[in-house]
């Protein structure tokens, strides 16, 4: 079973090295790693090229957007299993091993697992929250399993069928879109709790306005696919999260110093923002 991993990247010079370090140091080596440079204007491609001797291949997609970059990577990957993570993902050392275990079941077409924020405090709480909001809530709303774009994989054979059904975007959650089409095609999505891939908290460390713009894509994706009840539910969860959870989480992230692993009152009161420390391209 050959495993390829696709990493779409746009202006990710601050994150891509850590991401690739985690991939090339797997307990069970990954067979192929494709970094899809999506018109970066920084050193993303240059940094990724340094990993060529570790099985990393840099390809370029000129059509801007996560979905074109993802599609290009999946199309060019040669593995039997096509993993997909973000450039700020840092997979656990046994990630590829857990991936192989998940696909040992020949009925599984796609697999996904949980994440937490490596640059935020309370890792166990973050893991529980991610399980709840990204997997269980979505499953409750839609009636079928989800995929988590920062930590997912599917078979090459499945992608070849799914490729012609997946929506082109751009204003959708691409992982939710894939999950919906997999369900409609009768494909089995397996949730593997031990398939874990920590990610950055930089998106929720940004402004309320930016987070709202990002999350509104959640219910829009459901609405686009005709799932009106799910869209209403997603909108309600989004508003509740922004009103009741975001203020306290934003303060905690502003005060957190990842290098020291502690909360700092001085950092909380400083003028520099967490959003500046965790830029989103």
């Amino acid at each position: 079973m050959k495993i390829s991993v696709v990493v779409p990247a746009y202006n990710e010079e601050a994150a891509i090295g850590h991401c690739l370090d985690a991939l090339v140091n797997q307990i069970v080596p990954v067979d192929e790693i494709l970094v899809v440079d999506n018109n970066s204007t920084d050193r993303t491609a240059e940094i990724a090229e340094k990993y060529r001797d570790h099985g990393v291949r840099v390809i370029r997609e000129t059509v801007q957007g996560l979905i074109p970059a993802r599609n290009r990577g999946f199309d060019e990957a040669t593995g039997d299993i096509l993993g997909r993570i973000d450039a700020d993902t840092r997979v656990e050392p046994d990630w590829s091993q857990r991936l192989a275990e998940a696909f040992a079941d020949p009925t599984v077409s796609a697999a996904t697992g949980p994440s937490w924020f490596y640059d935020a405090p309370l890792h166990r709480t973050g893991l529980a929250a991610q399980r709840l909001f990204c997997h269980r809530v979505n499953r409750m709303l839609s009636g079928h399993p989800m995929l988590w774009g920062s930590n997912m994989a599917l078979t090459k054979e499945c992608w070849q069928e799914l490729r012609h059904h997946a929506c082109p975007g751009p204003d959708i959650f691409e992982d939710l879109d894939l999950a919906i089409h997999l369900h409609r095609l009768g494909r089995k999505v397996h949730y593997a709790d031990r398939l874990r891939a920590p990610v950055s908290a930089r998106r929720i460390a940004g402004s309320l306005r930016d987070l709202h713009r990002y999350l509104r894509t959640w219910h829009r994706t459901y609405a686009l696919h005709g799932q009106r009840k799910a869209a209403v539910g997603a909108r309600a969860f989004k508003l509740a999260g922004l009103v009741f959870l975001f203020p306290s989480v934003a303060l905690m992230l502003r005060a957190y110093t990842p290098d020291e692993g502690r909360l700092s009152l001085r950092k909380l009161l400083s003028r520099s923002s967490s959003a500046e420390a965790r830029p989103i391209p």
Side-chain angles (χ1 to χ4, degrees):
M1 182 186 296
K2 182 177 179 181
I3 296 177
S4 299
V5 183
V6 173
V7 187
Y10 169 65
N11 287 351
E12 293 282 7
E13 66 176 7
I16 192 65
H18 297 292
C19 174
L20 296 178
D21 284 339
L23 283 174
V24 302
N25 287 294
Q26 291 289 288
I27 295 173
V28 176
V30 171
D31 298 284
E32 180 183 50
I33 302 169
L34 292 85
V35 174
V36 186
D37 177 39
N38 197 203
N39 302 309
S40 297
T41 57
D42 63 0
R43 297 177 58 245
T44 297
E46 176 187 342
I47 294 170
E49 289 282 4
K50 295 179 180 179
Y51 291 80
R52 183 172 293 276
D53 292 341
H54 296 280
V56 174
R57 181 157 57 99
V58 178
I59 57 180
R60 290 172 174 82
E61 174 53 55
T62 58
V63 179
Q64 195 66 46
L66 174 58
I67 292 176
R70 177 204 68 190
N71 291 355
R72 178 68 180 276
F74 279 172
D75 288 344
E76 294 211 12
T78 61
D80 306 298
I81 305 301
L82 310 181
R84 205 308 247 162
I85 64 173
D86 289 326
D88 65 353
T89 303
R90 300 179 187 178
V91 295
E92 291 283 270
D94 64 349
W95 185 77
S96 62
Q97 177 182 342
R98 301 301 179 189
L99 205 59
E101 291 172 358
F103 285 97
D105 180 351
T107 67
V108 171
S109 294
T112 191
S115 298
W116 67 87
F117 299 120
Y118 54 73
D119 51 358
L122 306 175
H123 289 177
R124 289 185 180 181
T125 301
L127 177 62
Q130 199 274 343
R131 285 192 190 111
L132 174 63
F133 290 105
C134 297
H135 293 285
R136 292 173 185 168
V137 166
N138 269 308
R139 184 159 189 161
M140 177 186 70
L141 293 174
S142 67
H144 57 78
M146 286 298 104
L147 290 175
W148 172 238
S150 300
N151 181 17
M152 56 164 278
L154 64 162
T155 65
K156 180 72 170 180
E157 179 267 337
C158 176
W159 171 244
Q160 290 171 344
E161 179 182 13
L162 185 61
R163 180 73 164 83
H164 305 291
H165 296 272
C167 297
D171 196 16
I172 60 172
F173 274 0
E174 55 91 19
D175 46 4
L176 176 56
D177 172 67
L178 291 184
I180 291 171
H181 288 292
L182 284 168
H183 175 68
R184 292 177 176 176
L185 290 170
R187 293 280 188 165
K188 180 179 178 180
V189 176
H190 175 64
Y191 173 82
D193 191 66
R194 300 181 72 182
L195 181 69
R196 299 181 178 181
V199 298
S200 173
R202 60 185 180 171
R203 188 174 295 280
I204 60 173
S207 70
L208 178 62
R209 182 180 181 182
D210 288 343
L211 184 59
H212 174 263
R213 287 178 175 175
Y214 170 71
L215 289 177
R216 69 184 179 186
T217 307
W218 183 15
H219 53 81
R220 286 183 176 180
T221 304
Y222 277 127
L224 175 67
H225 292 82
Q227 299 189 13
R228 295 182 180 179
K229 290 183 179 179
V232 171
R235 185 189 295 269
F237 275 105
K238 179 198 72 174
L239 292 176
L242 292 176
V243 171
F244 297 108
L245 293 178
F246 177 79
S248 57
V249 172
L251 284 174
M252 180 177 63
L253 290 175
R254 184 181 180 90
Y256 186 64
T257 54
D259 293 339
E260 300 176 11
R262 65 181 182 87
L263 298 175
S264 167
L265 181 61
R266 177 180 296 181
K267 188 171 185 294
L268 176 63
L269 299 176
S270 69
R271 293 186 178 182
S272 60
S273 70
S274 297
E276 292 172 346
R278 302 178 177 92
I280 303 174

